[in-house]
Amino acid sequence: MKKKPLRARPWLVFQPGPRQALSGFSATRHLLILTILDNVQGKAFVYKCDQGAWRATAIPLPENASVGLPAASNETDEVMFTVSNYPTPTSLCTLTPQETSTFFENSVNRHAITIGSAPPRGQS
């Protein structure tokens, strides 16, 4: 498709359910990162195209969280996101797969690292 991008076929990547809404998305070199509201709860997913079909993998996040996507690299598969909920202050996290090919196959390599956080509520 790089030769003729105007002839690219559209693909359905995400179709929301009756209690879901797309809240944000970002693209990296090989991946799409989608944040959704599912019954008013924030969730994030990594989508990868595999043999003509999109496959989703959930990013493990705290329950009842608000999720944002402030940055993603289009040269690598690194993405930064913010997560917050009532007991957890806003945290800036990064998702860095060691190897894109094994990122989805090996759950040991799939993790988010918190790189910064606001002070706990009620403290300064």
Side-chain angles (χ1 to χ4, degrees), residues 62-66 83-91 117-123:
E63 290 186 16
N64 301 317
S66 174
V83 179
S84 64
N85 61 10
Y86 185 74
T88 307
T90 301
S91 301
S117 179
R121 286 178 170 64
Q123 298 179 5

Side-chain angles (χ1 to χ4, degrees), residues 3 18 72 75 101-102 106 108 121:
K3 292 181 182 180
E75 295 178 3
S101 60
T102 61
N106 186 352
V108 174
R121 286 178 170 64

Side-chain angles (χ1 to χ4, degrees), residues 93-113:
C93 303
T94 183
L95 185 67
T96 309
Q98 283 97 3
E99 294 180 32
T100 304
S101 60
T102 61
F103 180 68
F104 297 97
E105 309 305 326
N106 186 352
S107 62
V108 174
N109 290 335
R110 186 176 56 236
H111 62 283
I113 301 170

Side-chain angles (χ1 to χ4, degrees), residues 14 19-23 34-45 61-68 83-85:
F14 170 75
R19 300 192 54 87
Q20 293 180 327
L22 179 66
S23 61
L34 274 64
T35 57
I36 68 166
L37 290 174
D38 186 359
N39 201 21
V40 197
Q41 294 185 31
K43 296 183 179 183
F45 296 89
L61 298 173
E63 290 186 16
N64 301 317
S66 174
V67 183
V83 179
S84 64
N85 61 10

